């Protein structure tokens, strides 16, 4: 069965704005800008006839798709769509020390060191494993030809790599900002990205 996936990152939070690390362990709400972004996305795509909405288990994704949920579209939370766990960096400001740690870690990921993580955090391969379970569930659900998926920046990059069978070491090839959209089509055999980093709905809005 063919299926279209509309994959977006959640709207802005105050922690995004302040440069504070938030991964799977931080459950922050949208700020005013994030709510405006979510409303702008809704106004742009409210007539798309989504059969199902999937989000992570975190509040910021729920709030981003709230206007769609009010239409009565079926909704399911999947922990496989949660952001990567940032371990001891969760809730910390991006100080020079933290940023250096990030650069070393993500540089290692780029070099294929996909079993490395922040202390107490998740590795890209661990994230990928739970994303595979989430994708299997989404694809096995009948009658859902067009779905909206709201997730998180780092997780979305890995998810897109997984869909098109690209090495997840190349995750940073996918740009993202709050509520940026990627459209992916499954033709019954393979996935193809049909719309990349679409932010047309954000024209006129301040974004981070």
């Amino acid at each position: 069965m063919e299926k279209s996936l509309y994959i977006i990152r959640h709207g802005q939070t105050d922690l995004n704005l302040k440069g504070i690390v938030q991964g799977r362990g931080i459950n922050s709400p949208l700020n005013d800008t994030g709510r405006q972004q979510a409303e702008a996305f809704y106004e742009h795509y409210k007539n798309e006839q989504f059969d199902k909405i999937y989000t992570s288990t975190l509040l910021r994704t729920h709030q981003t798709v709230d206007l769609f949920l009010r239409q009565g579209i079926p909704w399911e939370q999947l922990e496989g769509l949660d952001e990567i766990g940032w371990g001891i960096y969760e809730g910390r400001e991006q100080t020079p020390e933290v940023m250096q740690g990030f650069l070393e870690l993500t540089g290692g990921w780029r070099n294929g060191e996909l079993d490395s993580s922040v202390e107490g955090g998740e590795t890209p391969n661990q994230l990928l494993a739970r994303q595979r379970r989430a994708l299997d569930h989404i694809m096995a659900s009948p009658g859902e030809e067009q779905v909206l998926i709201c997730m998180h920046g780092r997780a979305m990059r890995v998810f897109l790599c997984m869909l098109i069978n690209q090495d997840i070491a190349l995750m940073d090839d996918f740009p993202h900002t709050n509520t940026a959209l990627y459209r992916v089509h499954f033709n019954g055999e393979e996935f193809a990205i049909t719309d990349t980093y679409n932010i047309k709905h954000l024209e006129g809005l301040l974004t981070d």
Side-chain angles (χ1 to χ4, degrees):
M1 182 183 76
E2 295 193 13
K3 192 182 290 260
S4 293
L5 311 178
Y6 286 57
I7 304 168
I8 66 167
R9 186 186 175 204
H10 63 80
Q12 187 188 83
T13 70
D14 278 341
L15 298 191
N16 289 148
L17 193 60
K18 295 174 182 176
I20 294 174
V21 181
Q22 58 175 353
R24 195 178 188 188
I26 301 290
N27 199 18
S28 53
L30 299 186
N31 61 16
D32 286 343
T33 297
R35 286 188 286 272
Q36 291 172 5
Q37 292 166 338
E39 184 174 355
F41 182 84
Y42 174 77
E43 288 299 326
H44 208 83
Y45 295 99
K46 62 185 177 183
N47 296 320
E48 285 296 327
Q49 302 298 316
F50 295 115
D51 299 306
K52 183 77 171 280
I53 296 173
Y54 292 95
T55 69
S56 77
T57 66
L58 300 170
L59 178 62
R60 52 194 182 272
T61 62
H62 307 171
Q63 292 180 329
T64 301
V65 298
D66 179 64
L67 291 171
F68 291 96
L69 298 180
R70 294 184 194 183
Q71 290 184 351
I73 300 171
W75 168 42
E76 190 170 355
Q77 304 175 54
L78 299 176
E79 64 176 14
L81 301 177
D82 287 356
E83 180 60 295
I84 197 167
W86 286 116
I88 61 171
Y89 286 171
E90 296 271 9
R92 291 181 61 182
E93 292 185 11
Q94 293 182 21
T95 62
E97 175 192 5
V98 170
M99 287 306 298
Q100 181 62 30
F102 262 124
L103 290 173
E104 291 175 1
L105 182 65
T106 57
W109 291 349
R110 187 77 176 183
N111 290 328
E113 299 167 14
L114 300 171
D115 289 312
S116 60
S117 71
V118 177
E119 181 183 340
E122 284 185 294
T123 71
N125 278 333
Q126 288 172 328
L127 171 60
L128 180 64
R130 61 179 170 85
Q131 288 190 346
R132 286 194 189 283
R133 292 191 293 271
L135 180 63
D136 287 346
H137 177 75
I138 292 169
M139 297 307 294
S141 299
E144 298 176 8
E145 296 181 10
Q146 186 156 276
V147 301
L148 174 61
I149 298 172
C150 187
M151 51 194 307
H152 306 263
R154 178 64 54 178
M156 185 169 73
R157 289 169 156 177
V158 173
F159 195 71
L160 290 166
C161 288
M162 175 183 65
L163 290 175
I164 63 171
N165 292 316
Q166 177 171 294
D167 187 343
I168 62 172
L170 302 177
M171 65 181 92
D172 285 326
D173 288 357
F174 294 106
H176 68 69
T177 192
N178 295 113
T179 69
L181 168 70
Y182 284 81
R183 276 195 279 198
V184 182
H185 184 72
F186 181 70
N187 65 7
E189 296 182 0
E190 61 184 6
F191 293 93
I193 297 174
T194 59
D195 196 2
T196 299
Y197 190 62
N198 189 325
I199 54 173
K200 290 179 182 176
H201 58 282
L202 294 178
E203 292 177 1
L205 286 182
L206 290 175
T207 59
D208 69 345

